[in-house]
């Protein structure tokens, strides 16, 4: 995937918010790809975890918004414990999710969960899923 | 001896098969799991956003109630609850500014600064009782049971709340050894089962389960030992799907560690509620002669 970078396209405000919500210094990442290699959800993502950081620090919010990666992340923290730079990518994923959810745009609707699933799922699945996917 | 205990929502409903054998086993060992008065849902996941204080109120309120109970340690059993409560506790201990904001907001009459120690039941077995003492209480050794310990995510990540070594955990292996079973280590024992992705992408769950189950099977496991109700659901549903898709795929019995504890202590299958398990273990346990009725245990705790 090629992206064009220009001062006009890059969104400083987006970078600032991601940093603020995640508490992570985006410049710390040296793009080694350890996070992508350890991510159990990577094969379901269209943009790899490593690349999300690169796009985020360039402020390319539209590319990120068009991707399903942050909604595919399971917050398992395999990336965080394996990063040689001590960078917590799971917090960046959460920050990006929240930037959408806080605009009152939910990723799922509770009524779309099948009635069978609603009866069978453990409560921790419902509570955690709705916490991650709705605002 | 009485221990402050936080059950959480799932253990009172879908995962009674995780809680009931734990309560019975601890009682047999001389420990009463004493529920925190008026506990509320912990929120299941710890918010990963720095400014999201409102979602820390629920876990912190529970911790305040433990302090009010006059206890200094809180025992948890659900892996999700452990993680959420322990992370919230760490925040209250280390972040003075957020602690003050939360204390001002939560109207429980007392201030809280992370005084309660949050532990998992496995840590009580390891650190307070000890594997040697536990093994001496075993009435029905789980001989010849080749069981693969599966940790999942929340007992071990992030590092600061891990109950064991993050890369090479041994707590479940040692637990199984104390019960007389043959633990089967496998490389995918800490790989995520897909977690809450099951509510948005239920069709992906089988593919999350596949590498975990295949790895355990190829290392010779006959059953998998779990600590988390969501792992049980995802691996159980996942393997049903895999069995449909892939001829020759063998489903594996899934068990909670507390069910094995109760069986080994001789409390019998009646406290285990196997009817709630997602990967049915009963025929394997029968084959191994592990379903005999209860015998009495001499308690450890005073
Ligand atoms: S493992 Fe860490 S340093 Fe390497 S690409 Fe991922 S976040 Fe960056
Ligand atoms: S927390 Fe998300 S991005 Fe990180 S390894 Fe887990 S699923 Fe992948």
């Amino acid at each position: 995937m090629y992206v064009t970078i220009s001062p006009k396209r890059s969104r400083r405000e987006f970078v600032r918010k991601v940093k603020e919500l995640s508490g992570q210094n985006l410049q710390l990442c040296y793009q080694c790809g350890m996070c992508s290699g350890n991510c159990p959800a990577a094969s379901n993502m269209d943009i790899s975890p490593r690349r999300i950081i690169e796009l985020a620090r360039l402020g390319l919010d539209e590319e990120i918004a068009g991707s399903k990666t942050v909604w595919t992340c399971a917050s398992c923290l395999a990336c965080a414990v394996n990063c040689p730079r001590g960078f917590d990518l799971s917090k960046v994923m959460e920050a990006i999710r929240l930037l959408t959810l806080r605009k009152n745009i939910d990723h799922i609707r509770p009524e779309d969960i099948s009635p069978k699933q609603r009866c069978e799922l453990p409560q921790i699945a419902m509570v955690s899923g709705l916490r991650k996917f709705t605002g | 001896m009485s221990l402050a205990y936080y059950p959480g929502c799932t253990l009172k409903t879908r995962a009674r098969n995780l809680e009931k054998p734990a309560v019975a086993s601890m009682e047999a060992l001389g420990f009463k799991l004493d529920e925190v008065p008026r506990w509320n849902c912990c929120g299941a996941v710890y918010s990963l956003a720095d400014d999201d204080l409102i979602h820390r109120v629920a876990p912190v309120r529970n911790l305040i109630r433990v302090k009010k109970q006059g206890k200094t340690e809180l025992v948890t059993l659900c892996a999700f609850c452990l993680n959420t409560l322990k992370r919230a506790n760490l925040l209250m201990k280390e972040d003075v500014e957020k602690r003050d904001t939360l204390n001002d907001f939560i109207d429980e009459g007392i201030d809280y600064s992370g005084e309660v120690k949050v532990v998992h039941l496995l840590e009580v077995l390891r650190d307070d009782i000890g594997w040697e003492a536990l093994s001496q209480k075993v009435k029905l050794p789980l001989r010849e049971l080749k069981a693969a310990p599966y940790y999942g995510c929340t007992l071990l990540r992030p590092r600061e709340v891990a109950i064991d070594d993050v890369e090479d955990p041994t707590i479940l292996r040692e637990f199984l050894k104390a019960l007389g079973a043959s633990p089967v280590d496998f490389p995918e024992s800490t790989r995520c089962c897909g977690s809450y992705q099951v509510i948005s992408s239920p069709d992906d769950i089988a593919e999350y389960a596949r590498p975990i189950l295949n790895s355990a099977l190829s290392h010779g496991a006959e059953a998998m030992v779990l600590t988390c109700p969501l792992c049980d659901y995802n691996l159980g549903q996942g393997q049903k799907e895999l069995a449909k898709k892939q001829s020759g795929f063998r489903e594996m019995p899934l068990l909670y560690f507390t069910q094995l504890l109760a069986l080994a202590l001789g409390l019998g299958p009646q406290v285990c509620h196997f009817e709630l398990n997602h990967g049915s273990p009963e025929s394997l346990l029968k084959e191994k002669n592990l379903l005999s009725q209860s015998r009495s245990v001499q308690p450890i705790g005073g």
Side-chain angles (χ1 to χ4, degrees), chain A residues 7-22:
Chain A
K8 216 174 94 202
R9 290 198 65 224
S10 111
R11 304 269 182 276
R12 286 215 188 148
E13 184 57 12
F14 176 77
V15 181
R16 191 187 62 75
K17 279 187 182 158
V18 170
K19 280 187 181 168
E20 190 183 297
L21 292 185
S22 69

Side-chain angles (χ1 to χ4, degrees), chain B residues 87-126:
Chain B
R87 291 190 84 173
N89 202 39
L90 211 57
L91 179 88
M92 293 304 276
K93 208 185 271 180
E94 291 176 353
D95 192 322
V96 180
E97 205 180 309
K98 291 190 175 118
R99 175 205 300 163
D100 287 347
T101 310
L102 282 161
N103 273 325
D104 286 345
F105 181 81
I106 303 172
D107 191 13
E108 287 278 338
I110 56 168
D111 275 355
Y112 185 75
S113 50
E115 305 79 330
V116 171
K117 188 176 171 208
V118 181
V119 297
H120 189 266
L121 188 76
L122 280 167
E123 293 175 283
V124 177
L125 297 172
R126 178 189 62 192

Side-chain angles (χ1 to χ4, degrees), chain A:
Chain A
M1 179 174 131
Y2 291 92
V3 290
T4 316
I5 310 162
S6 72
K8 216 174 94 202
R9 290 198 65 224
S10 111
R11 304 269 182 276
R12 286 215 188 148
E13 184 57 12
F14 176 77
V15 181
R16 191 187 62 75
K17 279 187 182 158
V18 170
K19 280 187 181 168
E20 190 183 297
L21 292 185
S22 69
Q24 298 298 296
N25 172 6
L26 297 174
Q27 304 310 328
L28 207 62
C29 165
Y30 55 21
Q31 292 285 292
C32 69
M34 209 46 174
C35 45
S36 300
N38 281 291
C39 175
S43 59
N44 298 327
M45 293 172 174
D46 48 0
I47 296 178
S48 75
R50 173 193 63 80
R51 203 165 162 76
I52 284 289
I53 305 166
E54 185 61 358
L55 297 179
R57 65 187 172 192
L58 290 171
L60 298 174
D61 57 346
E62 283 165 25
E63 278 78 1
I64 293 175
S67 148
K68 61 177 183 173
T69 291
V70 299
W71 306 107
T72 311
C73 164
S75 302
C76 74
L77 272 65
C79 50
V81 298
N82 284 298
C83 174
R85 299 287 281 160
F87 186 86
D88 191 343
L89 172 56
S90 70
K91 290 188 170 172
V92 171
M93 294 285 186
E94 182 104 328
I96 298 171
R97 278 190 295 269
L98 286 175
L99 288 177
T100 299
L101 297 176
R102 287 181 183 179
K103 287 183 195 135
N104 218 5
I105 305 169
D106 289 346
H107 180 61
I108 58 163
R109 297 185 315 164
E111 55 270 38
D112 292 339
I113 303 169
S114 76
K116 183 173 179 291
Q117 255 203 325
R118 260 181 270 159
C119 289
E120 291 176 353
L121 280 170
Q123 279 77 352
I124 44 174
M126 292 296 282
V127 178
S128 58
L130 293 174
R131 282 275 310 276
K132 295 287 178 181
F133 297 139
T134 62

Side-chain angles (χ1 to χ4, degrees), chain B residues 49-121:
Chain B
D50 268 10
D51 69 344
D52 187 8
L53 286 191
I54 195 70
H55 286 113
R56 271 120 195 192
V57 171
V60 170
R61 198 188 293 282
N62 285 313
L63 295 165
I64 292 177
R65 295 205 170 127
V66 179
K67 185 176 168 182
K68 279 188 170 173
Q69 214 183 343
K71 300 282 190 184
T72 52
E73 190 172 278
L74 175 66
V75 180
T76 57
L77 197 44
C78 169
F80 264 61
C81 300
L82 168 87
N83 195 278
T84 302
L85 291 164
K86 207 165 167 182
R87 291 190 84 173
N89 202 39
L90 211 57
L91 179 88
M92 293 304 276
K93 208 185 271 180
E94 291 176 353
D95 192 322
V96 180
E97 205 180 309
K98 291 190 175 118
R99 175 205 300 163
D100 287 347
T101 310
L102 282 161
N103 273 325
D104 286 345
F105 181 81
I106 303 172
D107 191 13
E108 287 278 338
I110 56 168
D111 275 355
Y112 185 75
S113 50
E115 305 79 330
V116 171
K117 188 176 171 208
V118 181
V119 297
H120 189 266
L121 188 76

Side-chain angles (χ1 to χ4, degrees), chain B residues 44-296:
Chain B
V45 276
Y46 185 71
S47 176
L48 300 175
D50 268 10
D51 69 344
D52 187 8
L53 286 191
I54 195 70
H55 286 113
R56 271 120 195 192
V57 171
V60 170
R61 198 188 293 282
N62 285 313
L63 295 165
I64 292 177
R65 295 205 170 127
V66 179
K67 185 176 168 182
K68 279 188 170 173
Q69 214 183 343
K71 300 282 190 184
T72 52
E73 190 172 278
L74 175 66
V75 180
T76 57
L77 197 44
C78 169
F80 264 61
C81 300
L82 168 87
N83 195 278
T84 302
L85 291 164
K86 207 165 167 182
R87 291 190 84 173
N89 202 39
L90 211 57
L91 179 88
M92 293 304 276
K93 208 185 271 180
E94 291 176 353
D95 192 322
V96 180
E97 205 180 309
K98 291 190 175 118
R99 175 205 300 163
D100 287 347
T101 310
L102 282 161
N103 273 325
D104 286 345
F105 181 81
I106 303 172
D107 191 13
E108 287 278 338
I110 56 168
D111 275 355
Y112 185 75
S113 50
E115 305 79 330
V116 171
K117 188 176 171 208
V118 181
V119 297
H120 189 266
L121 188 76
L122 280 167
E123 293 175 283
V124 177
L125 297 172
R126 178 189 62 192
D127 304 333
D128 299 342
I129 295 178
W131 302 132
E132 182 54 37
L134 178 64
S135 71
Q136 283 167 14
K137 296 292 162 194
V138 169
K139 288 266 159 26
L140 185 63
L142 308 179
R143 254 179 224 119
E144 290 166 32
L145 183 69
K146 297 193 195 78
Y150 175 68
Y151 293 88
C153 309
T154 52
L155 295 185
L156 298 173
R157 296 189 287 270
R159 244 171 243 283
E160 54 272 25
V161 300
I163 68 164
D164 200 355
D165 188 281
V166 174
E167 276 83 27
D168 184 21
T170 56
I171 193 165
L172 276 170
R173 183 203 304 157
E174 296 306 314
F175 165 77
L176 288 167
K177 271 206 239 159
L179 304 187
S182 312
V184 177
D185 287 332
F186 67 110
E188 304 295 346
S189 68
T190 64
R191 188 187 170 101
C192 176
C193 70
S195 189
Y196 56 77
Q197 284 295 334
V198 66
I199 80 161
S200 60
S201 319
D203 296 340
D204 292 342
I205 286 308
E207 291 311 319
Y208 277 102
R210 189 197 293 274
I212 299 166
L213 295 162
N214 277 344
S215 169
L217 281 168
S218 68
H219 284 74
E222 299 170 305
M224 195 174 276
V225 182
L226 311 176
T227 62
C228 170
L230 189 46
C231 299
D232 176 47
Y233 183 86
N234 284 346
L235 293 174
Q237 291 299 114
Q239 68 176 349
K240 276 188 197 122
E241 290 298 313
L242 292 172
K244 272 188 237 159
K245 280 198 243 176
Q246 184 183 324
S247 71
F249 183 89
R250 192 156 50 85
E251 285 187 47
M252 177 145 46
L254 307 173
L255 288 140
Y256 284 126
F257 77 101
T258 55
Q259 293 177 312
L260 289 180
L261 177 62
L263 288 181
L265 291 176
L267 302 174
Q270 60 274 22
V271 299
C272 294
H273 292 274
F274 288 121
E275 73 282 1
L276 295 171
N277 284 46
H278 284 98
S280 141
E282 278 169 292
S283 53
L284 174 73
L285 295 172
K286 209 167 181 179
E287 194 186 299
K288 304 269 174 192
N289 282 324
L290 296 175
L291 291 185
S292 60
Q293 297 309 303
S294 53
R295 308 143 195 233
S296 67

